[in-house]
Amino acid sequence: MKIIDTKVYNQGILKSYTEYWVFNTRKRREFIHITRQIQEAVDKSGIKEGFVLVSAMHITASVFINDNEEGFLYDLEKFLERLAPYGKHPDGEEYRHHSTGEDNCDAHLKNIIVHHQVVVPITEGRLDLGPWQRIFYGEFDGQRNKKVIVKVVGF
Amino acid sequence: MKIIDTKVYNQGILKSYTEYWVFNTRKRREFIHITRQIQEAVDKSGIKEGFVLVSAMHITASVFINDNEEGFLYDLEKFLERLAPYGKHPDGEEYRHHSTGEDNCDAHLKNIIVHHQVVVPITEGRLDLGPWQRIFYGEFDGQRNKKVIVKVVGF
Amino acid sequence: MKIIDTKVYNQGILKSYTEYWVFNTRKRREFIHITRQIQEAVDKSGIKEGFVLVSAMHITASVFINDNEEGFLYDLEKFLERLAPYGKHPDGEEYRHHSTGEDNCDAHLKNIIVHHQVVVPITEGRLDLGPWQRIFYGEFDGQRNKKVIVKVVGF
């Protein structure tokens, strides 16, 4: 490992800027690319240095960073369905969560694997992402209103 | 996706507020609901805008957000035990970590799946969580003192 | 749970400090211990209170916290290979991502499990980690230049 660049800034005025988004997907499961909209929120905030937290406000949806490549997104859904299948535990035991009347225990478990949030660094007003990093909203139990919070804190 | 609300604040005085908690669970594995205590830490901090990091200080315990529903917590434990079983690798190979004398490799792997931390947004002095989001401490190798750090940074 | 310690600081001047690192591993997969280098970045920042985000800038590499124990790192690699195997889906279906010419879909999925980032609290100028917590860069598709961003924000 070697350090290839360093940047230092001192403060002006600390700010927070918060947006609340709502998604209502047509399909039960969808991956939605949101990098551009996150950059737009950062632009509106006026914040040049800091962090933006992008966090699903639900326990059956995720926010993650990976590849905006259709084949990969297919593979990811298949992978998640293998690890946390819809319907029941792989040994045939019913999900106990379903005794509440819900049928979405797999969506909760997919959320556990993928996680519900990312913290993206902001440098000189830009999302400081690598060349292939793209931010996604991952819906696992959609077709109803679901919220995401985008909170920028910095200066 | 549409934006449904936006909030902007400029700063007063930046603050940090840090608490260290200790857990000693009766069982080897337990999920402990800690949302109220995190809100209390934020209240004590006086911080109205920013982030609270809630992070296990151990590599065999987790902090996560999901559903405070007994059936789901049973399903989650079963799910984790299937992916990262106690005792040995599923193909029968011993965990090499156990050659150190430990018997908790499954707890390390469960920590990898569930993660050890969450960053919760604070808006107007409140944990800015969705209606079903609850914060948990997940113990995978308890019955001894384990620590969590709660660090609030904001203004 | 009981609170065992509390610390409060008010601000001087908010700062950000950012380093970009590059790794080029000899093997396709490697775990590299980077705790000391993160502390050095915090030292250079002069920041005493805040957060350091350590984030892979790639979608086939991870940053995580766990045990610096050789046996465990072997077990972790075996665990990840079982959940997200190299080559194809476990049912024999080709990874669709590979139709792009890539052969690294397993590395993307390993990144999903392990995650690409950690947020480490900084208290009194030190990484505020537990006694066994060590920070790692996890490479899943190396032997080429890969970047990590280390961003410290605080005061």
Side-chain angles (χ1 to χ4, degrees):
Chain A
M1 183 277 292
K2 61 173 181 165
I3 301 168
I4 55 171
D5 198 6
T6 301
K7 293 175 179 173
V8 190
Y9 294 91
N10 290 302
Q11 164 219 29
I13 299 292
L14 181 66
K15 273 191 205 173
S16 75
Y17 176 87
T18 310
E19 288 187 358
Y20 303 88
W21 297 0
V22 65
F23 293 85
N24 194 326
T25 58
R26 266 172 302 166
K27 291 188 289 179
R28 185 178 177 105
R29 295 188 207 157
E30 277 188 38
F31 297 125
I32 299 172
H33 180 203
I34 57 173
T35 311
R36 181 175 59 75
Q37 291 88 339
I38 304 292
Q39 179 64 58
E40 288 171 0
V42 171
D43 292 347
K44 283 182 270 180
S45 77
I47 289 169
K48 302 302 182 195
E49 290 292 320
F51 299 129
V52 53
L53 174 70
V54 188
S55 195
M57 300 182 82
H58 294 265
I59 51 192
T60 55
S62 288
V63 172
F64 65 96
I65 289 180
N66 214 293
D67 197 353
N68 188 20
E69 195 278 305
E70 199 179 353
F72 168 69
L73 295 172
Y74 170 88
D75 293 325
L76 176 58
E77 185 173 348
K78 183 178 168 102
F79 162 80
L80 293 172
E81 183 62 18
R82 172 166 54 85
L83 294 191
Y86 178 76
K88 52 183 68 172
H89 288 283
D91 66 1
E93 185 181 351
E94 299 291 335
Y95 288 126
R96 287 204 191 170
H97 181 54
H98 291 180
S99 67
T100 63
E102 297 282 358
D103 72 342
N104 62 2
C105 191
D106 71 301
H108 290 262
L109 297 174
K110 287 168 170 117
N111 165 286
I112 290 286
I113 298 170
V114 180
H115 286 267
H116 70 288
Q117 64 181 197
V118 296
V119 175
V120 184
I122 301 164
T123 306
E124 300 176 348
R126 304 296 300 169
L127 298 175
D128 209 342
L129 294 169
W132 299 102
Q133 287 186 301
R134 297 293 177 274
I135 310 168
F136 288 88
Y137 174 69
E139 177 63 83
F140 303 123
D141 184 24
Q143 299 171 317
R144 56 195 173 104
N145 282 350
K146 304 281 283 275
K147 285 166 69 182
V148 165
I149 182 169
V150 180
K151 190 167 192 104
V152 195
V153 178
F155 61 88
Chain B
M1 183 279 292
K2 61 172 182 167
I3 300 168
I4 55 171
D5 199 4
T6 303
K7 293 175 180 173
V8 190
Y9 294 91
N10 291 302
Q11 163 220 29
I13 300 290
L14 181 66
K15 272 192 206 172
S16 74
Y17 176 87
T18 310
E19 287 186 358
Y20 302 88
W21 297 359
V22 65
F23 292 86
N24 194 326
T25 58
R26 265 171 303 166
K27 291 188 288 178
R28 184 177 178 106
R29 296 187 207 157
E30 275 187 40
F31 297 125
I32 299 173
H33 181 203
I34 57 173
T35 311
R36 182 175 58 75
Q37 291 88 338
I38 304 291
Q39 180 64 57
E40 289 171 0
V42 172
D43 292 348
K44 283 182 269 179
S45 77
I47 289 169
K48 301 302 182 195
E49 289 293 319
F51 299 130
V52 53
L53 173 70
V54 188
S55 196
M57 300 182 82
H58 294 264
I59 51 192
T60 54
S62 289
V63 172
F64 65 96
I65 288 180
N66 214 293
D67 198 352
N68 188 20
E69 195 279 305
E70 199 180 353
F72 168 68
L73 295 172
Y74 170 89
D75 293 326
L76 176 59
E77 184 173 349
K78 183 179 167 97
F79 162 80
L80 293 172
E81 182 63 19
R82 173 167 52 86
L83 295 191
Y86 179 75
K88 51 183 70 173
H89 288 283
D91 66 1
E93 184 181 351
E94 299 291 335
Y95 288 127
R96 288 204 191 170
H97 181 54
H98 292 181
S99 67
T100 63
E102 297 282 357
D103 72 342
N104 63 2
C105 191
D106 71 300
H108 290 263
L109 297 175
K110 286 166 170 121
N111 164 286
I112 290 286
I113 298 169
V114 180
H115 286 268
H116 70 287
Q117 64 181 197
V118 297
V119 175
V120 184
I122 300 164
T123 305
E124 300 176 348
R126 303 297 300 168
L127 298 176
D128 208 342
L129 294 170
W132 300 102
Q133 287 186 300
R134 297 294 177 272
I135 311 167
F136 288 88
Y137 174 69
E139 178 62 80
F140 303 123
D141 183 24
Q143 299 170 317
R144 54 193 173 108
N145 281 351
K146 304 281 284 273
K147 285 166 69 181
V148 165
I149 182 169
V150 180
K151 190 168 193 103
V152 195
V153 177
F155 62 89
Chain C
M1 184 277 292
K2 61 173 181 165
I3 301 168
I4 54 171
D5 199 5
T6 302
K7 293 175 181 175
V8 190
Y9 294 91
N10 290 302
Q11 163 219 29
I13 300 291
L14 180 65
K15 273 192 204 172
S16 75
Y17 176 87
T18 311
E19 288 187 358
Y20 303 88
W21 297 359
V22 64
F23 292 85
N24 194 326
T25 59
R26 267 171 301 168
K27 291 189 289 179
R28 185 180 178 104
R29 295 185 207 158
E30 276 186 39
F31 297 125
I32 299 173
H33 180 204
I34 57 173
T35 311
R36 182 176 58 78
Q37 290 89 338
I38 304 291
Q39 180 63 57
E40 288 171 359
V42 172
D43 292 346
K44 283 182 270 180
S45 78
I47 289 169
K48 302 301 183 194
E49 289 293 319
F51 298 130
V52 52
L53 173 70
V54 188
S55 195
M57 300 183 81
H58 294 264
I59 51 192
T60 54
S62 289
V63 172
F64 65 96
I65 288 179
N66 214 293
D67 197 352
N68 189 20
E69 194 279 305
E70 199 179 354
F72 168 69
L73 295 172
Y74 170 89
D75 293 326
L76 175 58
E77 184 172 349
K78 182 177 168 100
F79 163 80
L80 294 172
E81 182 63 19
R82 172 166 53 86
L83 295 191
Y86 178 76
K88 52 183 69 172
H89 288 282
D91 66 1
E93 184 181 352
E94 300 290 336
Y95 287 126
R96 288 204 190 170
H97 181 54
H98 292 181
S99 67
T100 63
E102 296 282 359
D103 72 343
N104 63 1
C105 191
D106 71 301
H108 291 263
L109 297 174
K110 286 166 171 123
N111 164 285
I112 290 286
I113 299 169
V114 180
H115 287 268
H116 69 288
Q117 64 182 198
V118 296
V119 175
V120 184
I122 300 164
T123 306
E124 301 176 348
R126 304 297 299 170
L127 298 176
D128 208 341
L129 295 170
W132 299 102
Q133 288 186 301
R134 297 294 178 273
I135 310 168
F136 288 88
Y137 174 69
E139 178 61 83
F140 303 123
D141 183 23
Q143 299 171 317
R144 55 196 173 105
N145 281 350
K146 304 282 282 276
K147 284 167 68 182
V148 164
I149 182 170
V150 180
K151 190 167 190 103
V152 195
V153 178
F155 61 88

